[in-house]
Amino acid sequence: MSMRIRILVTGGTFDKEYDELTGRLFFKDTHLPEMLRRGRCLLDVTTETIMMVDSLDLDDEGRQRIVDRARDCGERNIVITHGTDTMVRTARAIATAAIAGKTIVLTGAMIPYAFGSSDGLFNLGSAVSFAQVLPSGVYVAMNGQHFRWDGVRKNVTSGCFEAI
Amino acid sequence: MSMRIRILVTGGTFDKEYDELTGRLFFKDTHLPEMLRRGRCLLDVTTETIMMVDSLDLDDEGRQRIVDRARDCGERNIVITHGTDTMVRTARAIATAAIAGKTIVLTGAMIPYAFGSSDGLFNLGSAVSFAQVLPSGVYVAMNGQHFRWDGVRKNVTSGCFEAI
Amino acid sequence: MSMRIRILVTGGTFDKEYDELTGRLFFKDTHLPEMLRRGRCLLDVTTETIMMVDSLDLDDEGRQRIVDRARDCGERNIVITHGTDTMVRTARAIATAAIAGKTIVLTGAMIPYAFGSSDGLFNLGSAVSFAQVLPSGVYVAMNGQHFRWDGVRKNVTSGCFEAI
Amino acid sequence: MSMRIRILVTGGTFDKEYDELTGRLFFKDTHLPEMLRRGRCLLDVTTETIMMVDSLDLDDEGRQRIVDRARDCGERNIVITHGTDTMVRTARAIATAAIAGKTIVLTGAMIPYAFGSSDGLFNLGSAVSFAQVLPSGVYVAMNGQHFRWDGVRKNVTSGCFEAI
């Protein structure tokens, strides 16, 4: 039987779009439903947009709302899409909340999905897979790998996540 | 530390291309290296092309070559890209060979990667993730899900894989 | 003031799609409206689908319907999307009908628009432009060039159109 | 015989790329050669990069360099890729230079070519076509239309070019 998964959307590069009038990047709607359709994903997924922000703009109050939803939603298998810049910090906040019995996987993208060459679809396929089979805990899934929340950092020079 | 994974390429829709002179689909080189780059995959992956065939054209001898490589290669975590039509049959052949201590995940695509709207990148992200964390055994990873080789079939009406 | 143009759709590689259940190419709806939106085309364009066929399957009766619509429609500036294999033959049929005072430009694609790497958008931009400014007559617009109907052939080895 | 065309590249949205480390848009190399290949363009085209700038950053000195190259290059049929914000201003500068016997067509894009949904390929197909057949003069080719340099403005609300 297909597993129930909740995807909590918080924005990040994943969901950025190009505003052709201003030449700037902005957020409109999440691309998650379209991405799941394209992946022909048949999991029992509920997608919920908590916010649409650049993770550099995410403050403590916003971070707390993510923690709250991860704790309070009914599913025990959760994927959170998040900007890469503060993904590890949010992972730590969730871990600190000591949510029992849930597998929570944060993922993101280096290139917006709306741009042709995005890594987002690969990362989403990876994150929903790890979320189904990893033991309960808080993880980051990037670059085809998974890391425990306290064993990872973003290398700001390479843009990649690495074990610490 | 990053895990060593071998990807065995056998063709399938995944790697089909459009021949603009004949209007037919054909195989040239595998897109796996490009897909792994796009996914910024940092796993220690070795990609090996065994064959490039439509899985409907795969005979017993060809299927045996896939089994042999899965058994004989040094890695214990293996992804096999494969046409969807006979993916389950190849999974069974591998399982019958009773390869001990290896996690082997077959995946494919419904739309060629070279066409814009392919599910291939999602499936690849999913397969390399399952291949890292599932216990040893032979699996099919499609539609965001994983199935044991003896618990899955392709629904030829919907094009999706389902548990049996 | 923006010029009135009619686009007559006849199918061809331009509009082919991939059937993920059969692995074959087929026709569904034309992509012309989507392509014009993507090109932010502000011409006064009416798109009319006459048929959706591979031009190798186009018989005399079908070819006559194209001639009839080109002659009978109200616009004097016309683009016809057409398979490349018999594009020149249809151009000749239209020219033979001696339609006075109309500029008629046939174009097509070597790669379906639905596949990422299509030449279709380039050819469409080219064809609608030539259709606005060339003197009345019947032309083929391919490879960034335009040819009179009696001065062009498709080179079946290269897939390109060349002057004769 | 195929016509000789020179494409002068000046940057603009056409050629912007996404910097995945900073999340900002930037210029690297022009995409023009790749776009011409994709359009299977068989014109005798020489592509020359004069500069790679956002047209809002283009000063008088830079604009003069564009005028100089348009006047001094050997070709009489010229396409200039240019940011849309000051495209009309550059067209006026070129027209003021009173270059005799040349057809000069400026074009651009609202969405970078590197992003999947760009109008750039349509505009390029349009511009190279107009450049071949319009009488000598300075033109803007956008939105499938062509305008004389002194009969067009960019509507900053809609992002489209319109006759004045």
Side-chain angles (χ1 to χ4, degrees):
Chain A
M1 207 192 70
S2 166
M3 190 175 278
R4 280 179 64 213
I5 292 187
R6 180 163 297 247
I7 300 183
L8 300 174
V9 174
T10 72
T13 297
F14 227 78
D15 269 331
K16 281 188 182 166
E17 312 212 29
Y18 182 74
D19 182 337
E20 65 185 65
L21 294 182
T22 65
R24 296 207 200 87
L25 300 171
F26 75 119
F27 292 108
K28 211 164 47 175
D29 298 323
T30 179
H31 297 83
L32 260 294
E34 177 189 340
M35 295 169 76
L36 292 167
R37 267 196 307 276
R38 183 163 156 196
R40 283 143 185 77
C41 185
L42 291 185
L43 297 164
D44 182 4
V45 175
T46 302
T47 299
E48 170 187 343
T49 302
I50 302 184
M51 62 190 72
M52 290 290 264
V53 299
D54 189 311
S55 77
L56 289 173
D57 299 332
L58 190 57
D59 58 16
D60 287 346
E61 185 272 331
R63 195 158 270 118
Q64 187 58 45
R65 284 166 54 208
I66 301 173
V67 174
D68 292 347
R69 285 307 299 147
R71 186 188 53 231
D72 298 342
C73 73
E75 291 80 3
R76 69 163 300 285
N77 300 80
I78 298 169
V79 169
I80 302 177
T81 66
H82 197 286
T84 58
D85 287 313
T86 69
M87 186 185 287
V88 173
R89 195 166 152 197
T90 299
R92 189 189 318 130
I94 299 171
T96 305
I99 303 171
K102 293 202 175 190
T103 299
I104 300 171
V105 178
L106 291 89
T107 194
M110 294 304 290
I111 303 264
Y113 176 69
F115 303 176
S117 57
S118 176
D119 51 334
L121 199 63
F122 180 87
N123 293 344
L124 181 62
S126 179
V128 297
S129 300
F130 282 130
Q132 293 173 69
V133 290
L134 287 174
S136 61
V138 182
Y139 305 88
V140 165
M142 288 291 290
N143 306 115
Q145 303 179 282
H146 67 288
F147 307 91
R148 274 176 49 100
W149 65 273
D150 56 355
V152 62
R153 71 174 163 213
K154 181 180 176 186
N155 181 320
V156 292
T157 308
S158 68
C160 296
F161 285 73
E162 57 193 19
I164 52 173
Chain B
M1 208 191 69
S2 169
M3 189 175 278
R4 280 178 65 213
I5 291 187
R6 180 162 297 246
I7 300 184
L8 300 174
V9 175
T10 73
T13 297
F14 228 76
D15 269 332
K16 281 188 181 166
E17 312 211 29
Y18 182 75
D19 181 337
E20 66 185 65
L21 294 182
T22 65
R24 296 209 199 86
L25 300 170
F26 76 118
F27 293 108
K28 211 164 49 175
D29 298 323
T30 179
H31 297 82
L32 260 294
E34 178 188 338
M35 295 169 76
L36 293 167
R37 269 196 306 276
R38 184 164 157 194
R40 283 140 185 78
C41 184
L42 292 185
L43 297 165
D44 182 4
V45 175
T46 302
T47 299
E48 170 186 344
T49 301
I50 302 184
M51 61 189 73
M52 289 289 263
V53 299
D54 189 311
S55 78
L56 289 173
D57 299 331
L58 190 57
D59 58 17
D60 287 347
E61 185 271 334
R63 193 159 272 118
Q64 187 58 45
R65 284 166 55 208
I66 301 173
V67 174
D68 291 346
R69 285 307 299 148
R71 185 189 53 230
D72 298 341
C73 73
E75 292 80 4
R76 68 163 300 286
N77 300 80
I78 299 169
V79 169
I80 302 176
T81 65
H82 197 287
T84 57
D85 286 312
T86 68
M87 186 185 287
V88 173
R89 194 166 153 198
T90 299
R92 189 188 318 130
I94 299 171
T96 304
I99 304 171
K102 293 203 175 189
T103 298
I104 300 170
V105 178
L106 291 88
T107 194
M110 294 305 290
I111 302 264
Y113 176 69
F115 303 176
S117 56
S118 175
D119 52 333
L121 199 63
F122 180 87
N123 294 344
L124 182 62
S126 179
V128 297
S129 301
F130 282 130
Q132 293 173 70
V133 290
L134 287 174
S136 61
V138 182
Y139 305 88
V140 165
M142 288 292 290
N143 307 116
Q145 302 179 282
H146 66 289
F147 307 91
R148 274 176 49 100
W149 66 273
D150 56 355
V152 62
R153 70 174 164 213
K154 181 179 175 185
N155 181 321
V156 292
T157 308
S158 69
C160 296
F161 284 74
E162 57 193 19
I164 51 173
Chain C
M1 205 192 70
S2 167
M3 189 175 278
R4 281 178 62 213
I5 291 187
R6 180 163 298 247
I7 300 183
L8 299 174
V9 174
T10 73
T13 297
F14 227 76
D15 270 331
K16 280 188 182 166
E17 313 210 29
Y18 183 74
D19 181 337
E20 66 185 65
L21 293 183
T22 65
R24 296 208 198 86
L25 300 171
F26 76 118
F27 292 107
K28 209 165 50 174
D29 299 323
T30 180
H31 298 82
L32 260 295
E34 177 189 339
M35 294 169 76
L36 293 167
R37 268 196 307 275
R38 182 163 158 195
R40 283 142 183 77
C41 184
L42 291 184
L43 297 164
D44 182 3
V45 175
T46 302
T47 299
E48 170 187 343
T49 301
I50 302 184
M51 62 190 70
M52 291 289 265
V53 298
D54 189 310
S55 78
L56 288 173
D57 299 331
L58 190 57
D59 58 17
D60 288 346
E61 185 272 332
R63 194 159 270 118
Q64 188 58 44
R65 283 166 55 208
I66 301 173
V67 174
D68 292 346
R69 285 307 300 148
R71 186 188 54 230
D72 298 342
C73 73
E75 292 81 2
R76 68 163 300 286
N77 300 81
I78 298 168
V79 169
I80 301 176
T81 65
H82 197 286
T84 58
D85 287 313
T86 68
M87 187 185 287
V88 173
R89 195 166 153 198
T90 298
R92 188 189 318 130
I94 299 170
T96 305
I99 303 169
K102 293 203 176 190
T103 298
I104 299 169
V105 178
L106 291 89
T107 195
M110 293 305 289
I111 302 265
Y113 176 68
F115 304 175
S117 57
S118 175
D119 52 333
L121 198 64
F122 180 87
N123 294 344
L124 182 63
S126 179
V128 298
S129 300
F130 281 130
Q132 294 174 68
V133 291
L134 287 174
S136 61
V138 182
Y139 305 88
V140 165
M142 288 292 290
N143 306 116
Q145 302 179 281
H146 67 288
F147 307 91
R148 275 177 48 100
W149 65 273
D150 55 354
V152 63
R153 70 174 164 213
K154 181 180 175 185
N155 182 321
V156 293
T157 307
S158 68
C160 296
F161 285 74
E162 57 193 20
I164 52 173
Chain D
M1 206 192 69
S2 166
M3 190 175 277
R4 280 178 64 213
I5 291 187
R6 180 163 298 246
I7 300 183
L8 300 174
V9 174
T10 73
T13 297
F14 228 77
D15 270 332
K16 281 187 182 165
E17 312 211 29
Y18 182 74
D19 182 337
E20 65 184 65
L21 294 182
T22 65
R24 296 208 199 85
L25 300 171
F26 75 118
F27 292 108
K28 210 164 49 174
D29 299 323
T30 179
H31 298 82
L32 260 294
E34 178 189 338
M35 294 170 76
L36 293 167
R37 268 197 307 274
R38 182 163 158 195
R40 284 144 183 74
C41 184
L42 291 185
L43 297 164
D44 182 3
V45 175
T46 303
T47 299
E48 170 187 344
T49 301
I50 303 184
M51 62 190 70
M52 290 290 264
V53 299
D54 189 310
S55 78
L56 289 173
D57 299 331
L58 190 57
D59 59 16
D60 286 348
E61 185 271 333
R63 194 158 272 119
Q64 187 57 45
R65 283 166 55 208
I66 301 173
V67 173
D68 291 347
R69 286 307 299 148
R71 186 188 53 231
D72 298 342
C73 72
E75 291 81 3
R76 67 163 302 285
N77 300 80
I78 298 169
V79 169
I80 302 176
T81 65
H82 198 286
T84 59
D85 287 313
T86 69
M87 186 186 287
V88 173
R89 194 166 154 199
T90 299
R92 189 189 317 129
I94 299 171
T96 304
I99 303 170
K102 292 203 175 189
T103 299
I104 300 170
V105 178
L106 292 87
T107 195
M110 294 304 290
I111 302 265
Y113 176 68
F115 303 176
S117 57
S118 175
D119 53 333
L121 199 64
F122 180 87
N123 294 344
L124 181 62
S126 180
V128 297
S129 301
F130 282 131
Q132 293 173 70
V133 291
L134 288 175
S136 61
V138 182
Y139 305 88
V140 165
M142 288 291 291
N143 307 114
Q145 301 179 282
H146 68 288
F147 307 91
R148 274 176 49 100
W149 65 273
D150 56 354
V152 63
R153 71 174 162 213
K154 181 180 175 185
N155 182 321
V156 292
T157 308
S158 68
C160 296
F161 285 75
E162 57 193 19
I164 52 173

